[in-house]
Amino acid sequence: GAGVSQSPSNKVTEKGKDVELRCDPISGHTALYWYRQSLGQGLEFLIYFQGNSAPDKSGLPSDRFSAERTGGSVSTLTIQRTQQEDSAVYLCASSLGGRSNEQFFGPGTRLTVL
Amino acid sequence: KQEVTQIPAALSVPEGENLVLNCSFTDSAIYNLQWFRQDPGKGLTSLLLIQSSQREQTSGRLNASLDKSSGRSTLYIAASQPGDSATYLCAVRNKLVFGAGTILRVKS
């Protein structure tokens, strides 16, 4: 079956511009996660959606970052007024829900802020 | 704050050798531990998931163990192959906290 998909695969933007990154989770997965992988920082958690519950935004690095999940499926991560330190690979994962379930990752979006 | 450490940071072995990758975590209150591999420029591929109540999981040539009380996990790779060359990452809890990874190179 289809895995987690993300778009675009690569995004180059200028400092100060807004960007939107998209994640399509595996069908039927109620939990969705965003992570960021950058040089020198490794992989870090950003935000977590579980069903209709309020998202856990504890990993978002600043108020320029926000995410939505519409209809319990597709999610969009928005970064406003991008900075060069936002350059990273943004990874999305989904799972069946519940805290013990295996997470499956998408291929990521490589964001470069010039 | 949960911290995850992986040792060694890099490992180079000849083909056919058995090897062990180590992962340690500071907070034993975990739901599960997951091992991933990451190939250059690619996303993460899940290898094994160990629930907090389990001691080990096996998949093919891979075996992962979990000692929650001591905050340790090991990934054992038997009869390594050049195709095993990748970065191996361990992560704990549902909002995954990742180690920095072990870069494995298997020489043919």
Side-chain angles (χ1 to χ4, degrees), chain B residues 57-71:
Chain B
Q57 281 287 335
T58 298
S59 176
R61 294 183 293 108
L62 305 179
N63 176 275
S65 67
L66 174 64
D67 184 342
K68 207 172 71 163
S69 61
S70 67

Side-chain angles (χ1 to χ4, degrees), chain B residues 50-57 64-69:
Chain B
I50 311 177
Q51 302 294 349
S52 61
S53 58
Q54 296 176 322
R55 302 262 324 163
E56 66 176 330
Q57 281 287 335
S65 67
L66 174 64
D67 184 342
K68 207 172 71 163
S69 61

Side-chain angles (χ1 to χ4, degrees), chain B residues 33-105:
Chain B
L33 184 143
Q34 201 165 348
W35 281 94
F36 298 88
R37 70 174 278 169
Q38 186 173 33
D39 295 283
K42 305 290 186 183
L44 275 65
T45 300
S46 179
L47 297 173
L48 288 164
L49 170 73
I50 311 177
Q51 302 294 349
S52 61
S53 58
Q54 296 176 322
R55 302 262 324 163
E56 66 176 330
Q57 281 287 335
T58 298
S59 176
R61 294 183 293 108
L62 305 179
N63 176 275
S65 67
L66 174 64
D67 184 342
K68 207 172 71 163
S69 61
S70 67
R72 293 179 183 176
S73 176
T74 61
L75 179 66
Y76 175 83
I77 302 177
S80 59
Q81 301 172 357
D84 295 331
S85 299
T87 297
Y88 289 80
L89 295 152
C90 70
V92 296
R93 308 187 74 176
N94 64 319
K95 298 181 292 182
L96 293 176
V97 178
F98 283 84
T102 293
I103 301 172
L104 174 64
R105 178 177 169 232

